[in-house]
């Protein structure tokens, strides 16, 4: 092959070589500059250690020790940094079975901790004479450890494995804490159990009380649509009492209020005795047992049918494999009392409007105006909760399922269960209970939603919900410690939704007085049980 003439040859390689050399020269200059700066810095540090009369920022005896230990030039900071490195070498030395070196590091660490503690107690800075032997001693040990081939690569790998082990322990502790918190939230407190037992004793030994309860069931006030009707489904006597007491205490005309309470067979006698023995400003109170609803059976309700199936019981009562599943598998979500809200027209067939209240709410204003609100043909009046993106449909429902994605908008606004005004005439016209049954049947495999009654409520009342002013219902007092006081004060109803219920020791102390205000603490049974 014939070579080109010299004037036609490409000078690419020469230009590329010049560029490389230029970069190398720049790096060399930068390295030299860094070396000089580092050398000067080392001299300054040595001078600082040698000059006992220099103690930057620490000559004043009133100086804050926290400021000293945060200062990069203080002896306390130097000792603290060396201790951190020494603790890492203790672990590494033990893993390499160098127990002598580990003991020497531990001894120095204890002396450093003692000096830092004494300096903190006396409020004075650490002197050069105090710091020098410890700093020099730790420096020699660290050099000794490095000389024993505990190099930086070994240190990094060892510490990485320990960090992973710590993360696993933290995860396990978090799971355990969540499980214990869930158990504490679900368990019936000793005081409430005590109250139930005393009230049940009264009910069983008082035939007169039982006769009066039967007579109240035939009161014409229970079906009078000129009065204001409220329904509460609960097995908690004190909580239900607080809801009723707060409602009548803030009503303009409490004698026009009618409360329909449904509880389970175990609590029925205690609930009857409590509301028979206590006055609630002349309001009418009806107590029923869910066991008396013979129509609520497996042939009518898909939920009742599912609860009898082994798969459903295993889902809710089995051991969760994932931390996130703990709250989803709470057995309270299978409680018929919790799902009774979808059967209100069946329970009260002659009523036209009713306000539904959860047992963990407190009423602060007159709720009778709710009955006269125009719902514009809708069934459910509720406060929307989508001021933050968390409360939109896609957070509650599985939109990867075509049954959900084809019928609903993932960005649709969620709303609150706990204080709702229901138009029962519109409910029957829209056949809302049948819609609820449909969605329960679609979710037999628990893939459409997992948590509580709100997801099926969002589906059931989709397109049938009228947004209310948010001041009607403020949520979060059972988990959020940062709610604005002005928002709470302006609320008609405050809701302790979450695990930190006001009757539990888990309660948020800031909000608990809102609930205790309506607790009849003068009742002898309450006094006895709260002391026990």
């Amino acid at each position: 092959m014939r070579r080109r003439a010299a004037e036609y040859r490409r000078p690419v390689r020469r230009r590329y070589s010049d560029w490389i050399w230029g970069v190398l020269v720049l790096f060399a200059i930068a390295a030299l500059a860094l070396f000089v700066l580092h050398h000067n810095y080392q001299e300054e540090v040595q001078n600082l250690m040698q000059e006992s009369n220099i103690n930057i920022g620490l000559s004043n005896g009133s100086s804050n020790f926290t400021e000293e230990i945060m200062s990069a030039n203080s002896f306390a900071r130097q000792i603290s940094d060396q201790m951190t490195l020494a603790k890492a070498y203790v672990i590494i030395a033990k893993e390499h079975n160098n127990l002598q070196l580990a003991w020497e590091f531990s001894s120095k660490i204890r002396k450093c901790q003692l000096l830092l503690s004494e300096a903190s107690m006396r409020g004075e800075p650490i002197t050069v004479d105090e710091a020098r032997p410890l700093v020099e001693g730790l420096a020699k040990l660290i050099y000794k450890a490095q000389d024993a081939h505990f190099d930086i690569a070994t240190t990094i790998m060892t510490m990485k494995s320990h960090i992973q082990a710590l993360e696993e322990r933290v995860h396990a502790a978090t799971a355990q804490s969540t499980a214990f918190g869930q158990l504490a939230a679900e368990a019936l407190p000793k005081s409430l159990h005590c109250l139930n037992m005393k009230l049940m004793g009264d009910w069983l030994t008082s035939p007169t009380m039982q006769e009066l309860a039967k007579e109240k069931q035939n009161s014409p006030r229970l079906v009078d649509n000129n009065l204001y009707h409220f329904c509460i489904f609960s097995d908690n006597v004190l909580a239900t009492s607080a809801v009723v007491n707060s409602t009548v205490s803030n009503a303009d005309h409490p004698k026009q209020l009618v409360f329909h309470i449904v509880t389970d067979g175990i609590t029925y006698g205690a609930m009857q005795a409590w509301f028979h023995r206590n006055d609630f400003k002349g309001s009418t109170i009806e107590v029923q047992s869910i066991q008396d609803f013979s129509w609520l059976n497996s042939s009518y309700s898909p939920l009742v049918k599912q609860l009898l199936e082994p798969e459903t019981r295993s889902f809710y009562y089995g051991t969760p494999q994932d931390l996130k599943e703990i709250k989803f598998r709470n057995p309270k979500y299978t409680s018929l009392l919790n799902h009774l809200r979808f059967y209100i027209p069946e329970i009260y067939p002659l009523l036209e409007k009713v306000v539904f209240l959860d047992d963990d709410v407190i009423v602060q204003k007159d709720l009778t105006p709710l009955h006269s609100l125009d719902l514009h043909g809708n069934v459910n009046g509720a406060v929307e909760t989508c001021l933050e993106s968390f409360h939109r449909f896609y957070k509650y429902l599985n939109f990867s399922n075509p049954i959900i994605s084809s019928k609903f908008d993932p960005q649709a606004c969620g709303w609150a269960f706990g204080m709702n005004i229901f138009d029962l005439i519109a409910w029957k016209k829209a056949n809302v209970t049948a819609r609820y049954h449909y969605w329960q049947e679609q979710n037999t495999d628990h893939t459409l939603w997992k948590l509580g009654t709100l997801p099926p409520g969002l589906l059931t009342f989709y397109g049938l919900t009228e947004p209310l002013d948010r001041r009607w219902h403020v949520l979060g007092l059972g988990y959020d410690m940062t709610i604005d006081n002005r928002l709470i004060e302006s609320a008609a109803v405050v809701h302790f939704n979450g695990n930190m219920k006001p009757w539990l020791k888990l309660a948020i102390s800031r909000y608990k007085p809102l609930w205790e205000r309506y607790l009849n603490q003068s009742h002898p049974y309450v006094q006895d049980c709260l002391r026990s």
Side-chain angles (χ1 to χ4, degrees):
M1 184 187 224
R2 207 168 60 179
R3 293 174 58 84
R4 295 184 181 181
E7 60 271 19
Y8 295 109
R9 293 176 189 171
R10 296 178 182 177
V12 174
R13 293 184 180 275
R14 182 176 299 277
R15 288 203 302 267
Y16 185 76
S17 177
D18 292 343
W19 180 80
I20 292 293
W21 278 107
V23 171
L24 291 175
V25 169
L26 288 175
F27 272 116
I29 294 172
L32 181 62
L34 289 173
F35 174 78
V36 172
L37 289 173
H38 180 72
H39 180 72
N40 291 338
Y41 174 75
Q42 291 291 337
E43 288 183 350
E44 290 178 6
V45 172
Q46 291 175 2
N47 291 335
L48 182 66
M49 291 291 294
Q50 292 172 358
E51 297 175 10
S52 61
N53 59 329
I54 297 177
N55 203 345
I56 300 175
L58 300 173
S59 59
N60 189 348
S62 62
S63 296
N64 191 320
F65 186 75
T66 303
E67 294 178 359
E68 178 189 358
I69 205 166
M70 293 299 292
S71 172
N73 297 321
S74 73
F75 299 134
R77 174 65 180 272
Q78 294 177 40
I79 292 172
S80 180
D81 289 346
Q82 279 193 314
M83 279 175 54
T84 302
L85 185 58
K87 290 176 180 178
Y89 277 120
V90 168
I91 297 172
I92 297 171
K94 286 181 178 179
E95 288 190 349
H96 288 77
N97 206 30
N98 193 339
L99 301 183
Q100 176 63 28
L101 182 60
W103 181 87
E104 291 176 6
F105 268 118
S106 298
S107 177
K108 290 292 184 183
I109 290 171
R110 286 193 294 271
K111 290 179 180 179
C112 290
Q113 290 172 334
L114 180 61
L115 178 58
L116 290 173
S117 177
E118 290 175 349
S120 177
M121 292 291 291
R122 73 192 183 202
E124 296 178 357
I126 297 173
T127 65
V128 174
D129 292 337
E130 292 174 322
R132 179 181 286 113
L134 291 177
V135 172
E136 289 179 352
L138 275 175
K140 290 178 181 178
L141 280 176
I142 292 171
Y143 178 79
K144 183 179 178 181
Q146 292 173 341
D147 191 51
H149 305 293
F150 300 155
D151 56 14
I152 192 65
T154 304
T155 304
I156 290 174
M157 292 301 296
T158 303
M159 297 313 298
K160 184 178 179 181
S161 65
H162 281 284
I163 289 171
Q164 291 175 343
L166 286 173
E167 287 178 348
E168 292 176 0
R169 289 173 62 185
V170 168
H171 180 78
T174 302
Q176 190 178 51
S177 176
T178 302
F180 287 161
Q182 194 72 52
L183 286 173
E186 296 170 21
L188 182 68
K190 180 181 177 182
S191 58
L192 295 185
H193 181 71
C194 165
L195 180 64
N196 284 355
M197 293 298 100
K198 288 179 177 292
L199 292 171
M200 182 62 74
D202 287 352
W203 172 255
L204 294 175
T205 58
S206 178
T208 304
M209 190 186 302
Q210 297 178 26
E211 288 296 325
L212 288 173
K214 290 180 181 179
E215 291 178 10
K216 284 185 178 181
Q217 292 177 358
N218 299 319
S219 172
R221 292 173 60 85
L222 298 177
V223 293
D224 187 350
N225 284 297
N226 293 316
L227 301 177
Y228 303 103
H229 295 266
F230 300 83
C231 62
I232 307 167
F233 308 136
S234 172
D235 59 357
N236 188 322
V237 175
L238 272 189
T240 305
S241 177
V243 176
V244 174
N245 193 24
S246 64
T247 305
V248 299
S249 297
N250 293 287
D252 294 337
H253 305 285
K255 291 184 179 180
Q256 297 182 17
L257 273 54
V258 181
F259 294 90
H260 305 269
I261 300 170
V262 180
T263 188
D264 57 23
I266 297 174
T267 317
Y268 175 74
M271 196 78 78
Q272 282 280 22
W274 178 266
F275 284 101
H276 177 78
R277 291 284 177 85
N278 292 277
D279 177 62
F280 292 90
K281 297 190 176 183
S283 60
T284 301
I285 300 175
E286 173 194 32
V287 178
Q288 295 177 275
S289 171
I290 194 172
Q291 271 73 19
D292 294 333
F293 301 157
S294 57
W295 49 267
L296 190 59
N297 50 54
S298 58
S299 61
Y300 176 63
S301 171
L303 178 65
V304 176
K305 182 180 179 181
Q306 291 170 21
L307 292 179
L308 298 175
E309 296 172 353
E311 295 80 5
T312 302
R313 299 189 66 82
S314 174
F315 178 83
Y316 283 105
Y317 294 93
T319 303
Q321 300 299 318
D322 187 357
L323 173 62
K324 295 180 180 179
E325 293 184 359
I326 292 177
K327 66 176 183 178
F328 294 149
R329 294 177 179 240
N330 190 333
K332 77 176 184 179
Y333 298 128
T334 65
S335 168
L336 288 180
L337 284 175
N338 204 34
H339 287 261
L340 211 56
R341 63 194 71 191
F342 295 104
Y343 298 100
I344 293 176
E346 282 85 347
I347 304 171
Y348 314 110
L350 299 179
L351 296 184
E352 296 176 355
K353 277 192 175 181
V354 65
V355 172
F356 167 77
L357 296 173
D358 263 335
D359 66 357
D360 55 353
V361 306
I362 286 294
V363 178
Q364 302 186 128
K365 299 186 187 301
D366 185 16
L367 296 187
T368 55
L370 282 171
H371 291 79
S372 59
L373 286 179
D374 184 2
L375 298 183
H376 301 97
N378 287 309
V379 177
N380 172 31
V383 170
E384 291 185 332
T385 56
C386 58
L387 293 177
E388 298 179 3
S389 60
F390 175 81
H391 295 99
R392 296 188 182 275
F393 271 43
Y394 73 91
K395 284 291 184 178
Y396 298 99
L397 304 170
N398 179 15
F399 276 87
S400 65
N401 192 304
I403 299 176
I404 297 294
S405 59
S406 63
K407 297 179 182 292
F408 302 97
D409 177 8
Q411 294 297 327
C413 191
W415 44 266
F417 248 146
M419 195 291 297
N420 306 77
I421 174 69
F422 291 120
D423 184 333
L424 302 185
I425 296 175
W427 182 310
K428 296 172 185 176
K429 185 178 179 180
N431 205 4
V432 171
T433 302
R435 295 176 65 167
Y436 165 70
H437 284 170
Y438 169 80
W439 288 113
Q440 282 290 352
E441 290 169 349
Q442 296 299 314
N443 194 42
T444 53
D445 57 357
H446 310 290
T447 58
L448 301 188
W449 72 84
K450 293 183 178 180
L451 180 63
T453 54
L454 181 57
L458 296 176
L459 300 176
T460 300
F461 293 99
Y462 187 71
L464 300 173
T465 299
E466 178 70 15
L468 302 181
D469 189 303
R470 66 182 302 217
R471 289 173 294 182
W472 278 112
H473 188 188
V474 170
L475 298 97
L477 279 72
Y479 67 89
D480 188 353
M481 302 182 185
T482 63
I483 303 174
D484 193 323
N485 283 331
R486 293 170 296 180
L487 189 60
I488 293 175
E489 291 169 2
S490 66
V493 172
V494 290
H495 196 164
F496 290 84
N497 57 309
N499 284 339
M500 300 179 184
K501 302 300 184 188
W503 53 84
L504 299 174
K505 290 184 178 180
L506 295 173
I508 300 173
S509 57
R510 177 187 164 203
Y511 308 134
K512 194 167 184 176
L514 298 173
W515 185 79
E516 291 178 333
R517 183 185 308 166
Y518 298 102
L519 183 64
N520 185 4
Q521 301 191 43
S522 63
H523 194 286
Y525 287 176
V526 175
Q527 291 181 348
D528 291 345
C529 292
L530 289 179
R531 289 198 201 102
S532 61

